[in-house]
Amino acid sequence: MALERDTFHLSGPLHLTSIDWTDVDHRRSVAACMVQGVYIMQRDRQENRHGPEALAPPWWNFFNFEVQTLLIDDADSSIFGAIYRFKPNPSLDHNTLSTNSTPTHIIAFRGTVTKGDAFTRDLQLDLHFVRNVLHRSSRFEIAIQAVRNLIASGNSNIWLVGHSLGSAMAMLAGKNMVKNGILLESHLFNPPFVSAPVESIKNKKVKHGLRIAGSFVTAGLAVAVKAKKNHQQKNNGSNNSFLDLAAWVPCLYVNPRDHICSEYIGYFGHRVKMGSIGAGGVERLAAQHSIAGLFMDAFGKESHEPIHLLPSANLTVNLKRARDLKEAHGLHQWWRLDQQLESRTYR
C-alpha cells in the first residue's frame, strides 16, 4: 500500500489552487514539491508502479509542469533528478499565468533514499560530500552537464532545487554557474553542513564562546597556511573564488532540530555578532575555510573547497518545534500551512 506521504492528494499543498509566482511561500512550496516529485519517481521505480499506478505525476502536474528530462545515475540507474518545464494550461482554473517571475524550467535533485537499491550509492555520495569531493562523482558530472545544456539552449529563469544531498548537488552546480557569470535562483532544503554540532548546545554563552574561539583559530590557521604556501586561489588570506560567489544569494531552508543543516543558523548569525564586537574581518576570513581543509593544506595534502560554505544566502528557519529528526529533516514541512518561519538575507 502506498505511503500517505507519497500521495499528492493526501499530503501535498492542495491549498495552492492559484499560484502567485511573486509570493515567497508559493515559490518555496512549488520548489519543494518538484523535489518530492523526484523522490516519488524513484520510489515508483523501486515499487514497479507504472502508468495509472505511478504516484509521482501529480506532484508536478498540479502546478502545470511536465518532466522534460530524467537524470539517471550511471552507477545504479536510479533517478536522482529531473528537469521540469513549465507548461501553462489555459483550460485550468489555477496556475495559468506565466509572468517574469515564473520559472521556465526547474532542475530538481533528491536526497538520500534509505530504502531500496539506491541507498548504497547515495551513502557513497554522502561521504563524497563530507570529503568535499562530490564534484568528482559521475552523478554530479551528469547533473552539471544537464544544467549547462539547458542554459546553452537559450532558456532563461531556470531554478535549481534540492533536498539534503540533493541540496548539496544543487549548491555545487550553482557555484559552478556563478564562475561562468550565471546566477540561478536556487531553493535548497535542509542543506547539509559539515561541522561539530555547536548549534545544538543549549547554553547561549557557551555556544557563542565556542564560535568566537573557532573563528579566531580558523582565521589564524588560514593566515599561517598562507604564509607557508602561496595558494593560487588565495590572496592575503582570502579565497577569491569564495568572494566571487557573493552576488549569488541562494535560498536556504533549515530546521533548528535538524543537526544535518542547523549549523547554517550559527554560521550566518555569528557573522553579525562578530561584526558587533569589531571582529567582522576575522569572521569573514574564518567563514571561507574549514579547519580540516586548512590542516590538510598545512601538511601538504590535497584539499578541496568546502561545498557548504557561502558568502551570501537568504536563510529561512522553521521555528515550529519538530517531533523528531525525521520530521525536522523532512521535506513536507516546507509546504505546510502551520509553519513558523523567519527569514533573513545575509551578504
Side-chain angles (χ1 to χ4, degrees), residues 297-341:
D297 283 343
F299 288 101
K301 296 185 178 180
E302 183 183 19
S303 66
H304 303 279
E305 180 182 332
I307 299 170
H308 60 285
L309 301 184
L310 293 165
S312 308
N314 181 281
L315 183 68
T316 297
V317 181
N318 187 3
L319 299 177
K320 182 177 173 60
R321 186 172 179 81
R323 292 171 296 182
D324 50 32
L325 174 60
K326 184 177 181 180
E327 183 176 87
H329 192 65
L331 191 55
H332 286 64
Q333 64 183 303
W334 301 114
W335 62 70
R336 292 177 58 178
L337 287 171
D338 59 346
Q339 302 167 100
Q340 185 182 349
L341 305 180

Side-chain angles (χ1 to χ4, degrees), residues 19-27 99-103 159:
I19 301 299
D20 178 358
W21 289 105
T22 64
D23 187 297
V24 293
D25 292 329
H26 290 196
R27 294 163 78 85
T99 70
N100 291 334
S101 300
T102 308
W159 288 11

Side-chain angles (χ1 to χ4, degrees), residues 120-244:
T120 301
R121 173 62 166 166
D122 289 350
L123 183 60
Q124 179 188 55
L125 292 170
D126 288 334
L127 296 176
H128 275 50
F129 168 77
V130 173
R131 295 170 52 215
N132 295 316
V133 292
L134 188 60
H135 62 285
R136 290 182 170 179
S137 68
S138 59
R139 180 179 290 189
F140 178 71
E141 285 299 323
I142 294 170
I144 192 63
Q145 192 58 53
V147 174
R148 289 169 178 158
N149 289 344
L150 190 60
I151 292 173
S153 64
N155 292 289
S156 60
N157 205 357
I158 299 168
W159 288 11
L160 291 174
V161 303
H163 174 251
S164 195
L165 173 62
S167 282
M169 295 279 290
M171 185 179 295
L172 189 54
K175 285 185 173 183
N176 272 263
M177 290 300 100
V178 174
K179 295 174 183 177
N180 294 322
I182 300 170
L183 307 180
L184 298 178
E185 179 167 337
S186 303
H187 297 267
L188 312 178
F189 301 96
N190 303 84
F193 191 105
V194 181
S195 172
V198 178
E199 193 60 29
S200 63
I201 297 174
K202 303 297 183 183
N203 190 305
K204 292 184 178 181
K205 289 185 178 180
V206 172
K207 180 162 54 178
H208 188 42
L210 286 173
R211 290 199 184 282
I212 291 177
S215 293
F216 277 97
V217 169
T218 304
L221 279 173
V223 173
V225 168
K226 170 62 182 178
K228 181 180 179 180
K229 184 179 180 180
N230 183 24
H231 291 283
Q232 293 181 351
Q233 291 184 325
K234 296 178 181 178
N235 180 23
N236 297 327
S238 296
N239 189 329
N240 289 331
S241 62
F242 182 86
L243 299 179
D244 290 342

Side-chain angles (χ1 to χ4, degrees), residues 58-109:
W59 290 95
W60 59 80
N61 286 338
F62 188 78
F63 306 106
N64 291 332
F65 281 88
E66 61 181 4
V67 175
Q68 175 173 306
T69 306
L70 289 179
L71 302 180
I72 309 296
D73 192 294
D74 64 343
D76 63 0
S77 299
S78 66
I79 300 171
F80 72 87
I83 300 176
Y84 299 100
R85 181 175 63 184
F86 183 67
K87 190 177 182 181
N89 187 343
S91 66
L92 298 180
D93 293 331
H94 64 283
N95 304 338
T96 59
L97 296 179
S98 177
T99 70
N100 291 334
S101 300
T102 308
T104 60
H105 294 78
I106 296 179
I107 307 174
F109 305 104

